[in-house]
Amino acid sequence: MNKKRRSVPGIRHYDGPAGGWGALKATAIAVRTQMDALDAPVTLLRTNQPDGFDCPGCAWPDKEHKSTFQFCENGAKAVTWEATSKRVTPEFLAKNTVTSLLAKSDYELEGYGRLTRPLRYDRASDTFRPVEWEEAFERIGEVLRGLEPDQVEFYTSGRASNEAAYLFQLFAREYGTNNFPDCSNMCHEATSVGLPRSIGIGKGTVSLDDFDKTELVISIGHNPGTNHPRMMGTLHELARRNVPIIVFNPLRERALERFADPQSVIEMATYSSTDIASTYFQVKAGGDAAALKGIAKHLLQMEQERGGVLDSEFIAEHTQGFSAFADDIAQTSWEAIERESGLTADALKSVAEAYAKSNATIITYGMGITQHNKGTANVRLIADVLLMRGNIGKPGAGICPLRGHSNVQGNRTVGITEKPTAAFIARLKDVFGFDAPAKHGHDAVQATQAMIDGHAKALICLGGNFAVAMPDHENGFPAMHTLDLSVHVGTKLNRTHLLVGKETYILPCLGRTELDMQQTGRQSITVEDSMSMVHASSGKLKPASPLIRSEPAIVAGMARATLKQTKVNWMELVTDYDLIRELIEQTIPGFDNYNDRIRVPGGFRMPLPPIQRIWPTATGKAMFSVFDGVDENAKGEGDNVLRLITLRSHDQYNTTIYALDDRYRGVFGRRDILFMNEGDMESLGLEHGDRVDIETALAGSVQRLEDITVVAYSIASGSVGAYYPEANVLVPLNYLDKDSGTPSYKSVPVRVTLRSKEIRML
Ligand SMILES: Nc1nc2c(c(=O)[nH]1)N[C@H]1C(S)=C(S)[C@@H](COP(=O)(O)OP(=O)(O)OC[C@H]3O[C@@H](n4cnc5c(=O)[nH]c(N)nc54)[C@H](O)[C@@H]3O)O[C@H]1N2
Ligand SMILES: Nc1nc2c(c(=O)[nH]1)N[C@H]1C(S)=C(S)[C@@H](COP(=O)(O)OP(=O)(O)OC[C@H]3O[C@@H](n4cnc5c(=O)[nH]c(N)nc54)[C@H](O)[C@@H]3O)O[C@H]1N2
Ligand SMILES: [Mo]
């Protein structure tokens, strides 16, 4: 970025570290623009305290869950965004038609503030109008009773508590379907499918303790400075102890390079910072499998040359499939590895050497691994590399998928899955006496396809912004309008709510920060973090409006109104969430003494057999895999194909856009940009600031995104980056990981064509 080039509005090189004073300033702005100055400090101080609420910002655990307030810029944004003093009033809705609101961005829509009462779409005026809760429930029940259960899709976004998600699955299953599209289908499904095949459980195996004991961290395809901000404290500590952190990421992400810990008095006072990554490899998008195969290949070679590199005892005693894995690696050529990863054999050798030296290694990963055509195979390959040196089930070592939403892992644990086990169905029968369907239901892509095909007639969303988060808006958005019924339980307005069907209801709910009072008093909910710790959370703020209800109360209200012969005492469960937890305990393994154990600060850990080297796979062993080939199997059609990564800015939470900056990447006040490698720009005759159109380069696809500005960036050659959700129009719905159904949001073959040379003034 040192070459002199023309200046582009809103694009400035960012020189500082991540964190530091910039982060403090950003927090102050978030507080000032969203909250009453008096409430804010108290609210922020309650974040992640034993008697406070769980931060909705990320799923990284807290040390003992009782540290003094952990400063975190993006946690503060998540909290202030929810605890905002802005409101969407009936007067506002009467003045603004749905058609006019649909022309707004999600940034503007959520910016109007919290929803304050239940709403029903009124077609005559094209507006949302207030409706009474009971009237809404009755009508929803009536429509649902008129449909076949498999015509209804029950979507869950990962903020819902264990209690709300459990009631939601109970409602849908008693109603008669396993159609549970959920946000993890777009996120860590590759982990949920891949890891059980490898180690017997679809969850990470490390705890914070392991980070204290580790000798090497390999971080692949995640951006913690933005998305897992509390992890930065851990990485910062490791870097200061000189534990090597090796990063694989096509983009130079500032927080992985340099970070100033806002909790460090010295770094703040002296404007200093700590280097995070010891080595940074700019792997090509979709090139991780090749890189991991290269590391494995070196290890096998080193084992042959000097021995003692593999943990042969562990492999013999605990695993199966090693020789097929090793044969495949031996057959993979260096030429293919270098071509696909974009890294040299020597570079990968240096990683293999560091890995062979370390007695305890953790590999962390995120969407850069899972959102690919071979996401599941990628996850398994990470497990393979760890198994080679016995790095699962020993202190300081393991696999660490960085989960997305703060309770996405818990939602899965309590039954949000389109493929329930026979054992779970049987437990539901024992405890409740109804026959839940065994037939598998729809995941997120299948649900969208069913809507497009006209098979799905209703969509019930427990949170989220389903249509916008999904690929292929071109086909997905119109499908929303064809539904007989859509229902959205949410905190703020978004475009999915506005893509109205024949009948549409918005049911406003309490957020994590708010007091949840029911008949027996103040309620807590529970969540499970990335490291399988389950703990309680309870808000204290006055609810955004007296007319909003808790998620469990809303789900129960819909269930009771729909299921006329129900076996569940829905309304009683809502009086005291302990009762819901008792039912979870009776139907789902691992929740023994649930209510007692969440009353201990920090909560408890769900069972993780692999940490004791018990492998609940079909063979009882940890299983090596064979990754077919070295690439994504989707080169794209025609010449000059680049691979598009869709990503999050620093000022966004999924489809929630807090502001238009992406400070660490040097972008201010805009999102209409394409990050591009300078060499690629040169060979395509493009300059920094040129305006281009992007089209998907896959056979039969017509997707386009127009008028995007090219920004020269430190990104691997052949890879380009644009923001999600704007770029979702470029992702075809059927372009996905066939094993897990996860859309390949991080490897879309695209072509870029020049639109004009002039620079747009903002
Ligand atoms: N503030 C904030 N926090 C969040 C979220 C948010 O939007 N905002 N979202 C939450 C959710 S739901 C999730 S799932 C997580 C997401 O957290 P991340 O997994 O960090 O998600 P992304 O921002 O999509 O970025 C992925 C990173 O992977 C890199 N990458 C892309 N393709 C590849 C590849 O092929 N190989 C490698 N090695 N790297 C690649 C990108 O450059 C980027 O740095 O964060 C959660 N936390
Ligand atoms: N191109 C591309 N697409 C992607 C991704 C990508 O990297 N690239 N990432 C994917 C990933 S990892 C994910 S997880 C999905 C996210 O998909 P979703 O989970 O569906 O989307 P969110 O943007 O998190 O949902 C925001 C909405 O949630 C509601 N909300 C907020 N808090 C609460 C609450 O406490 N309760 C309830 N009931 N509602 C609440 C608000 O109304 C808000 O508008 O997007 C996916 N889509
Ligand atoms: Mo996610």
Side-chain angles (χ1 to χ4, degrees), residues 103-246:
K104 310 269 181 203
S105 65
D106 288 297
Y107 167 57
E108 291 166 293
L109 290 174
E110 285 211 26
Y112 294 130
R114 290 287 299 277
L115 295 157
T116 53
R117 51 197 308 161
L119 301 165
R120 172 168 55 197
Y121 179 60
D122 173 58
R123 191 162 298 278
S125 62
D126 187 31
T127 57
F128 272 101
R129 294 201 169 165
V131 61
E132 294 300 321
W133 279 104
E134 284 313 310
E135 203 184 328
F137 290 151
E138 282 308 320
R139 182 58 196 154
I140 291 166
E142 207 177 334
V143 177
L144 291 183
R145 281 195 304 277
L147 294 171
E148 289 298 319
D150 283 339
Q151 293 177 315
V152 184
E153 308 290 345
F154 289 84
Y155 177 69
T156 318
S157 164
R159 265 202 204 177
S161 60
N162 280 358
E163 292 73 12
Y166 183 80
L167 290 188
F168 197 54
Q169 66 78 35
L170 195 63
F171 167 31
R173 292 206 162 97
E174 191 178 17
Y175 173 63
T177 185
N178 284 312
N179 283 344
F180 288 111
D182 84 298
C183 73
S184 50
N185 299 143
M186 304 176 230
C187 183
H188 265 292
E189 195 63 42
T191 299
S192 302
V193 173
L195 283 188
R197 293 180 189 168
S198 292
I199 60 169
I201 186 165
K203 298 181 180 184
T205 64
V206 298
S207 65
L208 280 183
D209 260 2
D210 290 314
F211 279 89
D212 288 339
K213 299 185 181 115
T214 193
E215 295 181 17
L216 170 68
V217 173
I218 304 180
S219 143
I220 315 182
H222 63 103
N223 184 19
T226 292
N227 298 323
H228 307 96
R230 275 180 281 136
M231 184 189 195
M232 286 316 299
T234 305
L235 292 178
H236 185 259
E237 221 174 279
L238 288 174
R240 293 188 81 84
R241 280 198 282 125
N242 292 322
V243 174
I245 299 170
I246 299 179

Side-chain angles (χ1 to χ4, degrees), residues 194-421:
L195 283 188
R197 293 180 189 168
S198 292
I199 60 169
I201 186 165
K203 298 181 180 184
T205 64
V206 298
S207 65
L208 280 183
D209 260 2
D210 290 314
F211 279 89
D212 288 339
K213 299 185 181 115
T214 193
E215 295 181 17
L216 170 68
V217 173
I218 304 180
S219 143
I220 315 182
H222 63 103
N223 184 19
T226 292
N227 298 323
H228 307 96
R230 275 180 281 136
M231 184 189 195
M232 286 316 299
T234 305
L235 292 178
H236 185 259
E237 221 174 279
L238 288 174
R240 293 188 81 84
R241 280 198 282 125
N242 292 322
V243 174
I245 299 170
I246 299 179
V247 172
F248 287 89
N249 196 314
L251 273 82
R252 284 254 160 206
E253 302 285 24
R254 180 45 46 94
L256 288 167
E257 298 182 302
R258 262 186 299 139
F259 182 71
D261 188 349
Q263 323 237 25
S264 155
V265 177
I266 293 183
E267 284 186 355
M268 293 301 275
T270 58
Y271 291 89
S272 59
S273 60
T274 301
D275 289 345
I276 299 295
S278 50
T279 332
Y280 205 117
F281 294 107
Q282 286 184 275
V283 64
K284 282 187 182 177
D288 302 280
L292 288 162
K293 280 193 162 187
I295 297 168
K297 198 171 170 76
H298 276 303
L299 288 173
L300 291 173
Q301 250 158 22
M302 285 152 66
E303 174 70 16
Q304 250 177 18
E305 285 159 21
R306 58 173 146 108
V309 171
L310 302 184
D311 188 338
S312 306
E313 227 169 274
F314 173 84
I315 293 175
E317 191 186 334
H318 286 286
T319 73
Q320 268 187 25
F322 177 72
S323 56
F325 166 77
D327 286 349
D328 172 68
I329 298 291
Q331 277 160 28
T332 309
S333 74
W334 280 115
E335 188 275 322
I337 289 171
E338 292 192 329
R339 184 189 65 232
E340 291 305 323
S341 65
L343 303 171
T344 63
D346 278 349
L348 295 172
K349 186 167 189 182
S350 71
V351 181
E353 271 163 2
Y355 182 45
K357 241 195 316 190
S358 154
N359 294 308
T361 299
I362 292 174
I363 303 186
T364 60
Y365 68 92
M367 298 299 100
I369 282 291
T370 59
Q371 293 176 335
H372 287 289
N373 284 345
K374 291 195 184 163
T376 302
N378 279 342
V379 169
R380 296 205 61 189
L381 195 48
I382 291 179
D384 295 335
V385 168
L386 287 167
L387 291 174
M388 287 176 89
R389 288 186 40 76
N391 273 314
I392 296 188
K394 80 176 172 195
I399 190 159
C400 178
L402 287 145
R403 290 281 168 175
H405 271 297
S406 47
N407 196 37
V408 58
Q409 186 162 318
N411 289 179
R412 299 310 290 261
T413 304
V414 300
I416 300 295
T417 168
E418 73 283 4
K419 297 185 190 119
T421 61

Side-chain angles (χ1 to χ4, degrees), residues 82 110 115 155-160 183-184 186-188 367 371 404-405 408 461-466 468-471 489-494 497 509-512 551 646-648 653-656 723-725 727-728 731 745-746:
E82 177 178 300
E110 285 211 26
L115 295 157
Y155 177 69
T156 318
S157 164
R159 265 202 204 177
C183 73
S184 50
M186 304 176 230
C187 183
H188 265 292
M367 298 299 100
Q371 293 176 335
H405 271 297
V408 58
C461 293
L462 184 59
N465 190 358
F466 179 56
V468 175
M470 285 297 286
V489 180
T491 50
K492 290 194 168 184
L493 215 50
N494 63 43
H497 303 164
C509 65
L510 295 172
R512 292 262 173 89
E551 289 178 334
T646 59
L647 24 74
R648 296 160 166 78
Y653 196 96
N654 297 341
T655 67
T656 296
Y723 293 121
Y724 137 64
N728 286 37
V731 190
Y745 293 122
K746 299 284 192 273

